[in-house]
Amino acid sequence: MITDKKRKILSGTVIIAFLVFCFVVGWFVGKPMLRFVEDYEGFKAWIEQSGFMGRVYFVLMVIFQVIIALVPGEPLEIAAGFAFGAIEGTILCVIGITVGSIIVFYLVRKFGIKLVEVFFSTEKIKSLKFLQNKKKVTALVFLMFFLPGTPKDLLTYFVGLTKINFWAFFFIASIARLPSIVTSTIGGDRLVEGDYFVAIVVFVATFALSVLGWFAYTRILRSKDNQTKQEN
């Protein structure tokens, strides 16, 4: 029979091992992977040579990026538009992000806040405590994912700590992030077509929306923080 003490030791060991694994994989795989996809011409040539398996490899890259939250996802989304076009690139990104998000969801449900603390500070985690509201959690999480400029890697890990229904999160992971994915893949697609004006307009508009989204996100955090203080 496993005692509570042994269970805590086992959980702590697993989380430490996961942290070491993430750091090693992020350093030796994540960084080279980003350099590879940022060479858009070379990446497109590799995809064309790989055929169908190139799609499989790319989806695995996206899944990896979601799980190893230290790796940024924007270069992958732009590369998807560059290599596959806006429509196919968006579909592949959505598949990878959804699968990666589900894996993270179940990992957090299994190991709890200790796993989230592997990637994010206690302060950042506490800033999202308002998402614990059972009545509004689905709507709030959808809004957080839908807004451009919000820390979606943090949100993906934090959602597992809430009471949100799995199928609700599945819908959010696959649908709510579409706007930010589509703008990136369209930008990448326009780059490969040599339509630099449209590409620049898309990226500038995306940046502007991300700034506005970030301000909206910070206002929501301040509002919820003030509401919590008043209730206390």
Side-chain angles (χ1 to χ4, degrees):
M1 181 177 179
I2 300 177
T3 63
D4 288 341
K5 183 177 181 181
K6 288 182 179 179
R7 189 177 291 108
K8 289 180 181 178
I9 293 173
L10 180 60
S11 297
T13 303
V14 170
I15 290 169
I16 291 171
F18 183 69
L19 173 60
V20 173
F21 171 79
C22 290
F23 176 79
V24 172
V25 174
W27 183 265
F28 290 104
V29 179
K31 289 181 68 176
M33 182 183 79
L34 286 181
R35 285 198 295 268
F36 177 51
V37 299
E38 285 173 350
D39 174 16
Y40 298 128
E41 293 287 355
F43 180 69
K44 183 176 175 61
W46 176 74
I47 288 294
E48 290 174 349
Q49 292 172 1
S50 302
F52 174 76
M53 287 307 298
R55 274 78 177 164
V56 176
Y57 297 145
F58 178 78
V59 170
L60 290 174
M61 287 181 181
V62 177
I63 294 172
F64 167 83
Q65 182 276 320
V66 175
I67 297 173
I68 311 297
L70 305 173
V71 180
E74 188 72 16
L76 280 169
E77 293 169 5
I78 296 172
F82 197 93
F84 305 109
I87 296 176
E88 185 179 4
T90 297
I91 292 171
L92 293 174
C93 284
V94 169
I95 292 172
I97 287 172
T98 302
V99 173
S101 298
I102 290 171
I103 292 172
V104 169
F105 182 84
Y106 277 115
L107 284 173
V108 175
R109 284 283 165 93
K110 174 69 176 177
F111 296 105
I113 194 170
K114 292 295 182 182
L115 182 64
V116 184
E117 290 175 339
V118 167
F119 298 105
F120 306 102
S121 67
T122 303
E123 289 73 20
K124 286 186 177 181
I125 296 170
K126 286 182 178 179
S127 71
L128 295 176
K129 284 293 185 182
F130 67 89
L131 291 178
Q132 298 286 7
N133 186 317
K134 294 181 182 180
K135 295 181 180 179
K136 300 179 180 179
V137 62
T138 301
L140 286 171
V141 170
F142 185 92
L143 177 62
M144 294 293 98
F145 274 93
F146 184 79
L147 285 173
T150 56
K152 293 177 178 59
D153 290 335
L154 167 61
L155 290 165
T156 300
Y157 268 83
F158 186 85
V159 166
L161 299 175
T162 70
K163 300 297 183 181
I164 193 170
N165 177 274
F166 166 77
W167 291 109
F169 177 65
F170 176 82
F171 173 78
I172 291 168
S174 56
I175 300 299
R177 297 182 68 164
L178 268 176
S180 61
I181 296 171
V182 168
T183 53
S184 297
T185 54
I186 288 176
D189 179 53
R190 291 301 85 198
L191 282 175
V192 74
E193 295 296 332
D195 195 348
Y196 300 116
F197 175 76
V198 173
I200 291 171
V201 169
V202 169
F203 289 134
V204 170
T206 302
F207 175 76
L209 288 172
S210 296
V211 171
L212 291 174
W214 175 255
F215 277 116
Y217 172 74
T218 55
R219 283 180 65 87
I220 291 171
L221 292 187
R222 283 198 297 268
S223 172
K224 296 298 181 181
D225 184 53
N226 291 334
Q227 183 179 335
T228 301
K229 289 178 179 177
Q230 289 175 3
E231 291 174 353
N232 294 335

